[in-house]
Amino acid sequence: MINKVNSSDLKELFKDYKLDYIISNNEYVQYYAYKIDNKYIAFLCFMNISEEVEIIDAFVLEKYRRNNIMTSLFNYLFKNEKYTKIFLEVSEENIGAINLYNKLGFKVISVRKGYYNGIDAYVMEKK
Ligand SMILES: CC(C)(COP(=O)(O)OP(=O)(O)OC[C@H]1O[C@@H](n2cnc3c(N)ncnc32)[C@H](O)[C@@H]1OP(=O)(O)O)[C@@H](O)C(=O)NCCC(=O)NCCS
């Protein structure tokens, strides 16, 4: 159900995500994706550079949310990536995502003031 995929495998899912989603060609950018009935319905995008993982994006199609799908994708990453630290950044208004990250053991380590058009962003870390 969970696989490492290429961005080209997720073209359809990206359409549901953000119309302006730009597929990064950076060689470090990687994707884990969750498939149901032969269709990708969620992805976790990240880089792992020198054993420091940076989460770039996390998305689950709306109708599949609150079924532990993103939790499974993170657990898959914890198991399969070699890392010393994992970082991510989240808007202070994204309460659902913050709850998820807290549950997964991430802690706020700094605040980027006004980062999203005046809205603060939290930088969170898990060791
Ligand atoms: C944030 C997101 C990835 C969560 O995915 P998900 O598969 O629904 O998350 P899970 O089911 O694994 O959630 C696990 C726990 O996180 C918390 N959580 C997740 N979504 C939540 C919400 N909308 N409100 C409150 N708590 C939430 C809950 O504690 C949940 O456990 P519970 O359902 O038993 O209460 C998904 O809502 C999404 O794609 N949102 C739009 C994109 C986005 O905001 N991405 C994050 C960018 S930083």
Side-chain angles (χ1 to χ4, degrees):
M1 256 189 305
I2 295 177
N3 291 103
K4 188 168 262 190
V5 299
N6 295 314
S7 58
S8 55
D9 299 316
L10 298 174
K11 267 188 206 145
E12 289 304 308
L13 186 55
F14 289 157
K15 284 185 198 161
D16 288 299
Y17 180 40
K18 286 179 191 166
L19 287 174
D20 60 350
Y21 192 73
I22 294 162
I23 298 163
S24 174
N25 289 320
N26 184 321
E27 60 181 308
Y28 291 108
V29 175
Q30 301 181 63
Y31 294 86
Y32 287 131
Y34 198 105
K35 208 179 205 179
I36 291 179
D37 296 335
N38 223 25
K39 184 183 162 205
Y40 290 111
I41 56 102
F43 70 86
L44 181 58
C45 177
F46 65 98
M47 295 192 283
N48 188 350
I49 302 172
S50 306
E51 297 190 8
E52 282 193 5
V53 171
E54 184 177 337
I55 304 297
I56 297 168
D57 254 315
F59 175 73
V60 180
L61 272 182
E62 204 160 347
K63 73 170 182 169
Y64 296 98
R65 290 181 192 166
R66 303 301 290 268
N67 286 301
N68 277 319
I69 287 174
M70 191 48 67
T71 300
S72 318
L73 280 163
F74 268 95
N75 284 331
Y76 190 87
L77 180 142
F78 299 154
K79 215 168 106 185
N80 290 282
E81 293 299 315
K82 203 165 176 231
Y83 66 90
T84 53
K85 292 173 183 176
I86 306 179
F87 294 98
L88 57 82
E89 181 215 275
V90 59
S91 159
E92 64 168 350
E93 292 192 336
N94 197 344
I95 304 300
I98 293 167
N99 284 347
L100 165 71
Y101 301 144
N102 280 329
K103 250 189 179 173
L104 291 168
F106 285 87
K107 307 269 183 242
V108 175
I109 55 161
S110 65
V111 178
R112 292 181 176 164
K113 283 277 166 205
Y115 190 73
Y116 294 108
N117 280 331
I119 295 154
D120 290 355
Y122 296 136
V123 178
M124 301 183 80
E125 180 193 71
K126 180 183 165 78
K127 287 186 179 167

Coordinates of all heavy atoms in Angstrom, one line a residue, residues 37 43 58 100 116 126:
D37 N -6.9 0.9 -4.1 CA -7.6 0.5 -5.4 C -6.9 1.0 -6.6 O -7.5 1.6 -7.5 CB -9.1 1.0 -5.4 CG -9.9 0.4 -4.3 OD1 -9.6 -0.7 -3.9 OD2 -10.9 1.0 -3.9
F43 N 0.4 11.5 -0.2 CA 1.9 11.5 -0.4 C 2.6 12.2 0.8 O 2.0 13.1 1.4 CB 2.4 12.0 -1.7 CG 2.2 13.5 -1.9 CD1 3.2 14.4 -1.5 CD2 1.0 14.0 -2.6 CE1 3.0 15.7 -1.7 CE2 0.9 15.3 -2.8 CZ 1.9 16.2 -2.4
A58 N 3.0 17.3 2.8 CA 2.2 16.1 3.3 C 0.8 16.3 2.9 O 0.2 17.4 3.2 CB 2.3 16.0 4.8
L100 N -1.4 16.3 14.5 CA -0.8 15.1 13.9 C 0.7 15.0 14.3 O 1.2 14.0 14.8 CB -0.9 15.1 12.4 CG -0.1 14.1 11.6 CD1 -0.5 12.7 11.8 CD2 -0.1 14.4 10.1
Y116 N 3.7 33.1 6.7 CA 2.7 32.9 5.7 C 1.8 34.1 5.6 O 0.8 34.2 6.3 CB 1.9 31.7 6.0 CG 2.6 30.4 5.9 CD1 2.9 29.7 7.1 CD2 2.9 29.8 4.7 CE1 3.5 28.4 7.0 CE2 3.6 28.6 4.7 CZ 3.9 27.9 5.8 OH 4.5 26.7 5.8
K126 N 11.9 16.3 15.2 CA 11.8 15.0 15.9 C 13.2 14.4 15.8 O 13.8 14.4 14.7 CB 10.8 14.1 15.3 CG 10.6 12.8 16.0 CD 9.6 11.9 15.2 CE 9.7 10.4 15.6 NZ 9.1 10.1 16.8

